[in-house]
Amino acid sequence: MALRRPAALAALLLVAACSSGGGRGAASASHEVPGEIVVASGRDVTGKNGIREQLIDAWNQRQDKADTGYHARLVELSGSADEQRSQLLGALQSGSASYDVVNLDVTWVPEFAAAHLVRPLPDSALSPDVIKSVASTARWDGKVYAVPFNSDVGLLYYRRDWLKQASVRETDLSARKQSWTDLDALMSDVDDLDPKGYQKGWTTQLAGYEGRTVNAMEAFETAVPGLTITDPKGHYDATVDELAEGIAELRRRTDAPYLLPDAVNSDEAASLGDFADGRTAFLRFWPYGYRSLFRTFDEQRLGVARLPGASVLGGQNLAVTESSPRAGKARELIAYLTGAESERCLLDAGFAATRTSAYTDPGLRCGTRTATPSAGPTGERTDGMPRDAAGRPKYAREILLPALQQAVQRPRTPLYGAFTQTFIAQLGALFADSPPSDEELARKLDAALRKALPG
């Protein structure tokens, strides 16, 4: 347990050190000097010259036309999400990098806000069009600190062709919300079929990184609806009994005969590969898998539905750094990148959009030419992704949007890094050769979280 305390202490010291600073020499909007607005972000899952780069290029073209003297440049950070978070924290705290806009994971907003590394924004920056659950990730301590850029939510991908071959009557699992009991029965049917190359019913991301936290929180929230683990101030606020119920549900999902053994060491790339190669019939994954998997499968072989039980919300939000000398123009850039048309472009390219209108407005179209792949000689889309009559991903309105609207959040706290490290480490015991009982593990997890998230 002592190994977890330095992480929590370091985060507390960071908040304390930064909270006394303030403006850090930031210029007011009226005295801004035209120049380059640098946007720091993680990898764009839509690939090289992805949709984020395209949207920034489109904004730059507008600036050139208006002769404003401003340009934006996207800087992609390398490494895992945890490594990107550390890079951003270090750069903004030390001033070693001149970032004007940062693209923050939704779980990082409280930390960066409490440390005064990003600026509060006017309430008007958060449009009523933004999906309510998604909009809540942009606030901390009663203020808006970011604007949702692209969202994320856990989904269920499955082999529709195998269900049909196993004589399952209804192979469209999106017709109604499935339960885990329903899923167990379907996996048993595929087990009896035993297709070539098949090993187990389902796979997910349970390696010792954020994927384990996400999967565990989905199990915990399914077992204890409304469980948040932290209170509105970010302090620990759960009981041993609640944790034990969540652990029992996580054990049921991961100790069952249907889980691919490799899942306990899998991240997104590994689990996606296992499913695509036919080792499992079901996969818990993110929306960008829709575009990726339809490069391998067609609609007769692949289906997608909402995840049984609770599904965790992910995504990234754009914030203006406290140190930016071009904060006013940076806010304009964020307004453009998160506007209705841009969100429609993000949706068409494979991201989960943050605005309801992107899914429902029949007149809304993406004006960025390369956001949606052009049709081939016979009229088919070259990316293979099924689309509706309006050009949106076919599953967007009836599956993705409801999943986002009902998604649950991970704990909100400025000490999220300490929380997730503790959560991952403690729950690792569940996958050991001789795992502890639910009650024993719950007591240990409770004690560890009380140290990581002090009141």
Coordinates of all heavy atoms in Angstrom, one line a residue, residues 249-331:
E249 N -19.7 -8.7 -9.2 CA -20.1 -8.6 -10.6 C -19.0 -8.7 -11.6 O -19.0 -9.3 -12.6 CB -20.9 -7.3 -10.8 CG -21.3 -7.0 -12.3 CD -22.2 -8.1 -12.9 OE1 -22.9 -8.8 -12.1 OE2 -22.3 -8.2 -14.1
L250 N -17.8 -8.0 -11.2 CA -16.7 -8.1 -12.1 C -16.1 -9.5 -12.1 O -15.7 -10.0 -13.2 CB -15.6 -7.1 -11.5 CG -14.3 -7.1 -12.3 CD1 -14.5 -6.6 -13.8 CD2 -13.3 -6.2 -11.7
R251 N -16.1 -10.2 -11.0 CA -15.7 -11.6 -10.9 C -16.6 -12.5 -11.8 O -16.1 -13.4 -12.5 CB -15.7 -12.1 -9.5 CG -15.1 -13.5 -9.3 CD -15.4 -14.1 -7.9 NE -14.9 -13.3 -6.9 CZ -13.7 -13.4 -6.4 NH1 -12.8 -14.3 -6.8 NH2 -13.3 -12.6 -5.3
R252 N -17.9 -12.3 -11.7 CA -18.8 -13.1 -12.5 C -18.5 -12.9 -14.0 O -18.6 -13.9 -14.7 CB -20.3 -12.6 -12.2 CG -21.3 -13.6 -12.7 CD -22.7 -12.9 -12.8 NE -22.8 -12.0 -13.9 CZ -22.9 -12.4 -15.2 NH1 -22.9 -13.6 -15.5 NH2 -23.0 -11.4 -16.1
R253 N -18.2 -11.7 -14.4 CA -17.9 -11.5 -15.9 C -16.6 -12.1 -16.3 O -16.4 -12.5 -17.4 CB -18.0 -10.0 -16.2 CG -19.3 -9.3 -15.9 CD -19.2 -7.9 -16.3 NE -20.4 -7.2 -16.0 CZ -20.7 -5.9 -16.3 NH1 -19.8 -5.2 -17.0 NH2 -21.9 -5.4 -16.0
T254 N -15.6 -12.0 -15.4 CA -14.2 -12.3 -15.8 C -13.8 -13.7 -15.4 O -12.8 -14.3 -15.8 CB -13.2 -11.3 -15.2 OG1 -13.3 -11.3 -13.8 CG2 -13.6 -9.9 -15.8
D255 N -14.6 -14.3 -14.5 CA -14.2 -15.7 -14.0 C -15.1 -16.7 -14.7 O -15.1 -17.9 -14.4 CB -14.4 -15.8 -12.5 CG -13.7 -17.0 -11.9 OD1 -12.7 -17.4 -12.4 OD2 -14.3 -17.5 -10.9
A256 N -16.0 -16.2 -15.5 CA -17.0 -17.1 -16.2 C -16.2 -18.0 -17.3 O -15.1 -17.6 -17.7 CB -18.1 -16.3 -16.9
P257 N -16.8 -19.1 -17.7 CA -16.2 -19.9 -18.7 C -16.1 -19.3 -20.1 O -15.5 -19.9 -21.0 CB -17.0 -21.2 -18.7 CG -18.4 -20.7 -18.3 CD -18.1 -19.7 -17.2
Y258 N -16.7 -18.1 -20.3 CA -16.8 -17.6 -21.6 C -15.7 -16.5 -21.9 O -15.5 -16.1 -23.1 CB -18.1 -16.9 -21.8 CG -19.3 -17.9 -21.6 CD1 -20.2 -17.7 -20.5 CD2 -19.4 -19.0 -22.4 CE1 -21.2 -18.6 -20.3 CE2 -20.5 -19.9 -22.2 CZ -21.4 -19.7 -21.1 OH -22.4 -20.6 -20.9
L259 N -15.0 -16.0 -20.9 CA -14.0 -15.0 -21.2 C -12.7 -15.6 -21.8 O -12.1 -16.5 -21.3 CB -13.6 -14.3 -19.9 CG -12.6 -13.1 -20.0 CD1 -13.1 -12.0 -20.7 CD2 -12.1 -12.7 -18.6
L260 N -12.2 -14.9 -22.9 CA -10.9 -15.3 -23.4 C -9.8 -15.1 -22.4 O -9.7 -14.0 -21.9 CB -10.7 -14.5 -24.7 CG -9.4 -14.9 -25.5 CD1 -9.7 -16.2 -26.3 CD2 -9.1 -13.7 -26.5
P261 N -9.0 -16.1 -22.1 CA -8.0 -16.0 -21.1 C -7.0 -14.8 -21.3 O -6.6 -14.1 -20.4 CB -7.3 -17.3 -21.1 CG -8.3 -18.3 -21.6 CD -9.1 -17.5 -22.6
D262 N -6.7 -14.5 -22.6 CA -5.8 -13.5 -22.9 C -6.4 -12.1 -22.6 O -5.6 -11.1 -22.5 CB -5.5 -13.5 -24.4 CG -4.5 -14.6 -24.8 OD1 -4.0 -15.2 -23.8 OD2 -4.3 -14.9 -26.0
A263 N -7.7 -12.0 -22.3 CA -8.3 -10.7 -22.0 C -7.7 -10.0 -20.8 O -7.6 -8.8 -20.7 CB -9.8 -10.8 -21.8
V264 N -7.2 -10.8 -19.8 CA -6.6 -10.2 -18.6 C -5.3 -9.5 -18.9 O -4.8 -8.8 -18.0 CB -6.5 -11.3 -17.5 CG1 -7.8 -11.9 -17.1 CG2 -5.5 -12.3 -17.9
N265 N -4.8 -9.7 -20.0 CA -3.5 -9.0 -20.4 C -3.7 -8.2 -21.7 O -2.7 -7.7 -22.3 CB -2.4 -10.0 -20.7 CG -2.0 -10.8 -19.5 OD1 -1.8 -10.3 -18.4 ND2 -2.0 -12.1 -19.6
S266 N -5.0 -7.9 -22.1 CA -5.3 -7.3 -23.3 C -5.5 -5.8 -23.2 O -6.2 -5.3 -22.2 CB -6.5 -7.9 -24.0 OG -6.2 -9.2 -24.5
D267 N -5.1 -5.0 -24.2 CA -5.5 -3.6 -24.3 C -6.4 -3.5 -25.5 O -6.9 -4.6 -26.1 CB -4.3 -2.7 -24.5 CG -3.4 -3.1 -25.6 OD1 -3.8 -3.9 -26.5 OD2 -2.3 -2.5 -25.7
E268 N -6.7 -2.3 -26.0 CA -7.6 -2.1 -27.2 C -7.1 -2.9 -28.4 O -7.8 -3.6 -29.1 CB -7.8 -0.7 -27.5 CG -8.8 0.0 -26.6 CD -8.3 0.5 -25.3 OE1 -7.1 0.3 -25.0 OE2 -9.1 1.0 -24.4
A269 N -5.8 -2.7 -28.7 CA -5.3 -3.3 -29.9 C -5.4 -4.8 -29.9 O -5.8 -5.5 -30.9 CB -3.8 -2.9 -30.2
A270 N -5.0 -5.4 -28.8 CA -5.0 -6.9 -28.6 C -6.4 -7.5 -28.7 O -6.7 -8.5 -29.4 CB -4.3 -7.3 -27.3
S271 N -7.3 -6.8 -28.0 CA -8.7 -7.4 -28.0 C -9.4 -7.2 -29.3 O -10.1 -8.1 -29.8 CB -9.5 -6.7 -26.9 OG -9.6 -5.3 -27.1
L272 N -9.1 -6.1 -30.0 CA -9.7 -5.9 -31.3 C -9.1 -6.9 -32.3 O -9.9 -7.5 -33.1 CB -9.3 -4.5 -31.8 CG -10.0 -4.0 -33.1 CD1 -11.5 -3.8 -32.8 CD2 -9.4 -2.7 -33.6
G273 N -7.8 -7.2 -32.2 CA -7.2 -8.2 -33.0 C -7.8 -9.6 -32.8 O -8.1 -10.4 -33.7
D274 N -8.0 -10.0 -31.5 CA -8.5 -11.3 -31.2 C -9.9 -11.5 -31.7 O -10.3 -12.5 -32.3 CB -8.6 -11.5 -29.6 CG -7.2 -11.8 -29.1 OD1 -6.4 -12.4 -29.8 OD2 -7.0 -11.5 -27.9
F275 N -10.7 -10.4 -31.6 CA -12.1 -10.5 -32.2 C -12.1 -10.6 -33.7 O -12.8 -11.4 -34.3 CB -12.9 -9.3 -31.7 CG -14.3 -9.3 -32.2 CD1 -15.3 -10.1 -31.7 CD2 -14.7 -8.5 -33.3 CE1 -16.6 -10.1 -32.2 CE2 -16.0 -8.4 -33.8 CZ -16.9 -9.3 -33.3
A276 N -11.3 -9.7 -34.3 CA -11.2 -9.7 -35.8 C -10.7 -11.0 -36.4 O -11.1 -11.4 -37.4 CB -10.3 -8.5 -36.3
D277 N -9.9 -11.7 -35.6 CA -9.3 -13.0 -36.0 C -10.2 -14.2 -35.7 O -9.9 -15.3 -36.0 CB -7.9 -13.2 -35.4 CG -6.9 -12.3 -35.9 OD1 -7.1 -11.7 -37.0 OD2 -5.8 -12.1 -35.3
G278 N -11.4 -13.9 -35.1 CA -12.4 -15.0 -34.9 C -12.2 -15.8 -33.7 O -12.7 -16.9 -33.6
R279 N -11.4 -15.3 -32.7 CA -11.2 -16.1 -31.5 C -12.3 -15.9 -30.5 O -12.5 -16.8 -29.6 CB -9.9 -15.6 -30.8 CG -8.6 -15.9 -31.6 CD -7.3 -15.6 -30.9 NE -6.2 -15.8 -31.7 CZ -5.6 -14.8 -32.4 NH1 -6.1 -13.5 -32.3 NH2 -4.6 -15.0 -33.2
T280 N -13.1 -14.9 -30.7 CA -14.3 -14.7 -29.8 C -15.5 -14.3 -30.7 O -15.4 -13.8 -31.8 CB -14.1 -13.6 -28.7 OG1 -14.0 -12.3 -29.4 CG2 -12.8 -13.9 -28.0
A281 N -16.7 -14.4 -30.1 CA -17.9 -14.1 -30.8 C -18.4 -12.7 -30.3 O -19.2 -12.0 -31.0 CB -19.0 -15.1 -30.5
F282 N -17.9 -12.2 -29.2 CA -18.3 -10.9 -28.7 C -17.1 -10.1 -28.2 O -16.1 -10.6 -27.8 CB -19.3 -11.1 -27.5 CG -20.6 -11.7 -27.8 CD1 -20.7 -13.1 -27.8 CD2 -21.7 -11.0 -28.2 CE1 -21.9 -13.7 -28.1 CE2 -22.9 -11.6 -28.6 CZ -23.0 -13.0 -28.5
L283 N -17.3 -8.7 -28.3 CA -16.2 -7.8 -27.9 C -16.8 -6.6 -27.3 O -17.7 -6.0 -27.9 CB -15.4 -7.4 -29.2 CG -14.4 -6.2 -29.1 CD1 -13.2 -6.6 -28.2 CD2 -14.0 -5.8 -30.5
R284 N -16.2 -6.2 -26.1 CA -16.6 -4.9 -25.6 C -15.5 -3.9 -26.1 O -14.3 -4.1 -25.9 CB -16.5 -4.9 -24.0 CG -16.8 -3.6 -23.4 CD -15.6 -3.0 -22.7 NE -15.9 -1.7 -22.2 CZ -15.4 -0.5 -22.7 NH1 -14.6 -0.5 -23.8 NH2 -15.8 0.6 -22.2
F285 N -16.0 -2.8 -26.8 CA -15.0 -1.9 -27.4 C -15.7 -0.5 -27.6 O -16.8 -0.3 -27.3 CB -14.6 -2.5 -28.8 CG -13.2 -2.0 -29.2 CD1 -12.1 -2.5 -28.6 CD2 -13.1 -1.0 -30.2 CE1 -10.8 -2.1 -29.0 CE2 -11.8 -0.6 -30.6 CZ -10.7 -1.1 -29.9
W286 N -14.9 0.4 -28.1 CA -15.3 1.8 -28.3 C -15.9 2.0 -29.7 O -15.7 1.2 -30.6 CB -14.1 2.7 -28.1 CG -13.4 2.5 -26.7 CD1 -12.2 1.9 -26.5 CD2 -13.9 3.0 -25.5 NE1 -11.9 2.0 -25.1 CE2 -13.0 2.6 -24.5 CE3 -15.0 3.7 -25.1 CZ2 -13.1 3.0 -23.1 CZ3 -15.2 4.0 -23.7 CH2 -14.2 3.7 -22.8
P287 N -16.5 3.2 -29.9 CA -17.1 3.5 -31.2 C -16.1 3.4 -32.4 O -16.6 3.0 -33.5 CB -17.7 4.9 -31.0 CG -18.0 4.9 -29.6 CD -16.9 4.2 -28.9
Y288 N -14.9 3.8 -32.2 CA -14.0 3.8 -33.4 C -13.8 2.3 -33.9 O -13.3 2.2 -35.1 CB -12.7 4.5 -33.1 CG -11.7 3.7 -32.2 CD1 -10.8 2.8 -32.8 CD2 -11.6 3.9 -30.9 CE1 -9.8 2.1 -32.0 CE2 -10.6 3.3 -30.1 CZ -9.7 2.4 -30.7 OH -8.8 1.8 -29.9
G289 N -14.1 1.3 -33.1 CA -14.1 0.0 -33.6 C -15.0 -0.3 -34.8 O -14.8 -1.2 -35.6
Y290 N -16.1 0.5 -34.9 CA -17.1 0.4 -35.9 C -16.5 0.5 -37.3 O -16.7 -0.3 -38.2 CB -18.2 1.4 -35.7 CG -19.4 1.2 -36.6 CD1 -20.4 0.3 -36.2 CD2 -19.6 2.0 -37.7 CE1 -21.6 0.2 -37.0 CE2 -20.8 1.9 -38.5 CZ -21.8 0.9 -38.1 OH -22.9 0.8 -38.9
R291 N -15.7 1.6 -37.4 CA -15.0 1.8 -38.7 C -13.9 0.8 -38.9 O -13.8 0.3 -40.0 CB -14.4 3.2 -38.6 CG -13.5 3.6 -39.9 CD -13.1 5.0 -39.8 NE -12.3 5.4 -41.0 CZ -12.1 6.6 -41.4 NH1 -12.6 7.6 -40.7 NH2 -11.4 6.8 -42.5
S292 N -13.2 0.4 -37.9 CA -12.1 -0.5 -38.0 C -12.6 -1.9 -38.4 O -12.0 -2.6 -39.3 CB -11.3 -0.6 -36.7 OG -10.7 0.6 -36.4
L293 N -13.6 -2.4 -37.7 CA -14.1 -3.8 -37.9 C -14.8 -3.9 -39.3 O -14.8 -5.0 -39.8 CB -15.0 -4.2 -36.8 CG -14.2 -4.4 -35.5 CD1 -15.2 -4.6 -34.3 CD2 -13.3 -5.6 -35.6
F294 N -15.4 -2.9 -39.8 CA -16.1 -3.0 -41.1 C -15.1 -3.0 -42.2 O -15.5 -3.0 -43.4 CB -17.2 -2.0 -41.2 CG -18.5 -2.4 -40.6 CD1 -19.0 -1.9 -39.5 CD2 -19.2 -3.5 -41.2 CE1 -20.2 -2.3 -38.9 CE2 -20.4 -3.9 -40.7 CZ -20.9 -3.4 -39.5
R295 N -13.8 -2.9 -41.9 CA -12.8 -3.1 -43.0 C -12.6 -4.6 -43.2 O -12.1 -5.1 -44.2 CB -11.5 -2.5 -42.6 CG -11.6 -1.0 -42.6 CD -10.3 -0.4 -42.1 NE -10.3 1.1 -42.1 CZ -9.7 1.9 -41.2 NH1 -8.9 1.3 -40.3 NH2 -9.7 3.2 -41.3
T296 N -13.0 -5.4 -42.1 CA -12.9 -6.9 -42.2 C -14.2 -7.6 -42.4 O -14.2 -8.6 -43.2 CB -12.3 -7.4 -40.8 OG1 -11.0 -6.7 -40.6 CG2 -12.1 -8.9 -40.8
F297 N -15.2 -7.1 -41.8 CA -16.6 -7.7 -41.9 C -17.6 -6.9 -42.7 O -17.3 -5.7 -42.9 CB -17.1 -7.9 -40.5 CG -16.2 -8.7 -39.6 CD1 -15.5 -8.1 -38.6 CD2 -16.2 -10.1 -39.7 CE1 -14.6 -8.9 -37.7 CE2 -15.3 -10.9 -38.9 CZ -14.6 -10.2 -37.9
D298 N -18.7 -7.6 -43.0 CA -19.8 -6.8 -43.6 C -21.0 -7.0 -42.6 O -20.8 -7.6 -41.6 CB -20.2 -7.4 -45.0 CG -20.5 -8.9 -45.0 OD1 -20.9 -9.4 -43.9 OD2 -20.3 -9.5 -46.0
E299 N -22.1 -6.4 -43.0 CA -23.3 -6.4 -42.0 C -23.9 -7.7 -41.8 O -24.5 -7.9 -40.8 CB -24.3 -5.4 -42.6 CG -24.0 -4.0 -42.5 CD -25.1 -3.1 -42.9 OE1 -25.9 -2.7 -42.0 OE2 -25.2 -2.7 -44.1
Q300 N -23.6 -8.7 -42.7 CA -24.2 -10.0 -42.5 C -23.3 -10.8 -41.4 O -23.8 -11.7 -40.8 CB -24.1 -10.8 -43.8 CG -25.3 -10.5 -44.8 CD -25.1 -9.1 -45.3 OE1 -24.0 -8.7 -45.8 NE2 -26.1 -8.3 -45.3
R301 N -22.1 -10.4 -41.2 CA -21.2 -11.0 -40.3 C -21.0 -10.3 -39.0 O -20.8 -10.9 -37.9 CB -19.8 -11.3 -40.9 CG -19.9 -12.1 -42.2 CD -18.5 -12.1 -42.9 NE -17.5 -12.8 -42.1 CZ -16.2 -12.6 -42.2 NH1 -15.8 -11.8 -43.2 NH2 -15.4 -13.2 -41.5
L302 N -21.2 -9.0 -39.0 CA -20.9 -8.1 -37.8 C -22.1 -7.4 -37.4 O -22.8 -6.8 -38.2 CB -19.7 -7.2 -38.1 CG -19.3 -6.2 -37.0 CD1 -18.7 -7.0 -35.8 CD2 -18.3 -5.2 -37.5
G303 N -22.3 -7.4 -36.1 CA -23.4 -6.5 -35.5 C -22.8 -5.7 -34.3 O -21.7 -6.0 -33.8
V304 N -23.5 -4.6 -34.0 CA -23.1 -3.8 -32.8 C -24.4 -3.4 -32.1 O -25.5 -3.2 -32.6 CB -22.4 -2.5 -33.3 CG1 -23.2 -1.7 -34.2 CG2 -21.8 -1.7 -32.1
A305 N -24.3 -3.4 -30.8 CA -25.4 -3.0 -29.9 C -24.9 -2.3 -28.7 O -23.7 -2.2 -28.4 CB -26.1 -4.3 -29.5
R306 N -25.8 -1.8 -27.9 CA -25.4 -1.2 -26.6 C -24.9 -2.3 -25.7 O -25.3 -3.5 -25.8 CB -26.6 -0.5 -26.0 CG -27.0 0.7 -26.7 CD -28.3 1.3 -26.2 NE -28.3 1.5 -24.7 CZ -29.3 1.8 -24.0 NH1 -30.5 1.8 -24.5 NH2 -29.2 2.1 -22.7
L307 N -24.0 -2.0 -24.8 CA -23.4 -2.9 -23.9 C -24.4 -3.3 -22.8 O -25.1 -2.5 -22.3 CB -22.2 -2.2 -23.3 CG -21.2 -3.1 -22.5 CD1 -20.4 -4.0 -23.5 CD2 -20.1 -2.2 -21.8
P308 N -24.4 -4.6 -22.5 CA -25.3 -5.0 -21.3 C -24.9 -4.3 -20.1 O -23.7 -4.0 -19.8 CB -25.1 -6.5 -21.2 CG -24.6 -6.9 -22.6 CD -23.8 -5.8 -23.1
G309 N -25.9 -3.9 -19.3 CA -25.6 -3.2 -18.0 C -25.1 -1.8 -18.3 O -25.4 -1.1 -19.3
A310 N -24.3 -1.2 -17.3 CA -23.8 0.1 -17.4 C -22.7 0.2 -18.5 O -21.9 -0.8 -18.7 CB -23.3 0.6 -16.1
S311 N -22.5 1.3 -19.1 CA -21.4 1.6 -20.0 C -20.7 2.9 -19.6 O -21.4 3.9 -19.4 CB -22.0 1.7 -21.4 OG -20.9 1.8 -22.4
V312 N -19.4 2.9 -19.6 CA -18.6 4.0 -19.2 C -18.4 5.0 -20.3 O -18.2 4.7 -21.4 CB -17.3 3.6 -18.6 CG1 -16.2 4.7 -18.6 CG2 -17.4 3.1 -17.2
L313 N -18.5 6.3 -19.9 CA -18.3 7.4 -20.8 C -16.8 7.7 -20.9 O -16.1 7.8 -19.9 CB -19.1 8.7 -20.3 CG -19.2 9.9 -21.2 CD1 -20.1 9.6 -22.4 CD2 -19.7 11.1 -20.4
G314 N -16.4 8.0 -22.1 CA -15.0 8.4 -22.4 C -15.0 9.7 -23.2 O -16.0 10.3 -23.3
G315 N -13.9 9.9 -23.8 CA -13.9 11.1 -24.7 C -12.8 12.1 -24.3 O -12.2 12.0 -23.3
Q316 N -12.8 13.2 -25.1 CA -11.8 14.3 -24.9 C -12.5 15.7 -24.9 O -13.4 15.8 -25.7 CB -10.7 14.3 -25.9 CG -9.7 13.1 -25.7 CD -10.2 11.8 -26.3 OE1 -10.7 11.8 -27.4 NE2 -10.0 10.7 -25.5
N317 N -12.0 16.6 -24.1 CA -12.6 17.9 -24.1 C -11.5 19.0 -24.3 O -10.3 18.8 -23.9 CB -13.2 18.2 -22.7 CG -14.3 17.3 -22.4 OD1 -14.9 16.7 -23.2 ND2 -14.7 17.3 -21.1
L318 N -11.8 20.0 -25.0 CA -10.8 21.1 -25.3 C -10.8 22.2 -24.3 O -11.9 22.7 -23.9 CB -11.1 21.7 -26.7 CG -10.9 20.7 -27.9 CD1 -11.4 21.4 -29.2 CD2 -9.5 20.2 -28.0
A319 N -9.7 22.6 -23.8 CA -9.5 23.6 -22.8 C -8.5 24.6 -23.2 O -7.5 24.3 -23.9 CB -9.2 23.0 -21.4
V320 N -8.6 25.9 -22.7 CA -7.6 26.9 -23.0 C -6.7 27.0 -21.8 O -7.1 27.0 -20.6 CB -8.3 28.3 -23.1 CG1 -7.3 29.4 -23.4 CG2 -9.3 28.3 -24.3
T321 N -5.4 26.9 -22.1 CA -4.4 26.9 -21.0 C -4.4 28.3 -20.3 O -4.6 29.3 -20.9 CB -3.0 26.6 -21.5 OG1 -2.6 27.6 -22.4 CG2 -3.0 25.2 -22.2
E322 N -4.0 28.3 -19.0 CA -3.9 29.5 -18.3 C -2.8 30.4 -18.8 O -2.9 31.6 -18.7 CB -3.6 29.1 -16.8 CG -3.5 30.3 -15.9 CD -4.8 31.1 -15.7 OE1 -5.9 30.5 -15.7 OE2 -4.8 32.4 -15.7
S323 N -1.8 29.8 -19.4 CA -0.6 30.6 -19.8 C -0.7 31.1 -21.3 O 0.2 31.7 -21.8 CB 0.7 29.7 -19.7 OG 0.5 28.5 -20.5
S324 N -1.8 30.8 -22.0 CA -1.9 31.2 -23.4 C -2.0 32.7 -23.5 O -2.8 33.3 -22.9 CB -3.2 30.5 -24.0 OG -3.4 31.1 -25.3
P325 N -1.1 33.2 -24.4 CA -1.2 34.7 -24.7 C -2.3 35.0 -25.8 O -2.5 36.2 -26.1 CB 0.2 35.0 -25.2 CG 0.7 33.8 -25.8 CD 0.1 32.6 -25.0
R326 N -2.9 34.0 -26.3 CA -3.9 34.1 -27.3 C -5.2 33.5 -26.9 O -5.9 32.8 -27.7 CB -3.4 33.6 -28.7 CG -2.3 34.4 -29.3 CD -1.6 33.7 -30.5 NE -0.7 32.7 -30.0 CZ 0.6 32.9 -29.6 NH1 1.0 34.1 -29.7 NH2 1.4 32.0 -29.2
A327 N -5.6 33.6 -25.7 CA -6.7 32.9 -25.1 C -8.0 33.2 -25.8 O -8.9 32.4 -26.0 CB -6.9 33.2 -23.6
G328 N -8.2 34.5 -26.2 CA -9.5 34.9 -26.9 C -9.6 34.1 -28.2 O -10.7 33.6 -28.5
K329 N -8.6 34.1 -29.0 CA -8.6 33.5 -30.3 C -8.7 32.0 -30.1 O -9.3 31.2 -30.9 CB -7.4 33.9 -31.1 CG -7.6 33.7 -32.6 CD -8.7 34.6 -33.2 CE -8.9 34.4 -34.7 NZ -9.9 35.3 -35.2
A330 N -8.0 31.5 -29.0 CA -8.1 30.0 -28.7 C -9.5 29.6 -28.4 O -9.9 28.5 -28.9 CB -7.2 29.7 -27.5
R331 N -10.3 30.5 -27.8 CA -11.7 30.1 -27.5 C -12.5 30.1 -28.8 O -13.3 29.3 -29.0 CB -12.3 31.2 -26.5 CG -11.8 31.0 -25.1 CD -12.7 31.8 -24.1 NE -12.7 33.2 -24.4 CZ -11.8 34.0 -23.8 NH1 -10.9 33.5 -22.9 NH2 -11.9 35.3 -24.0

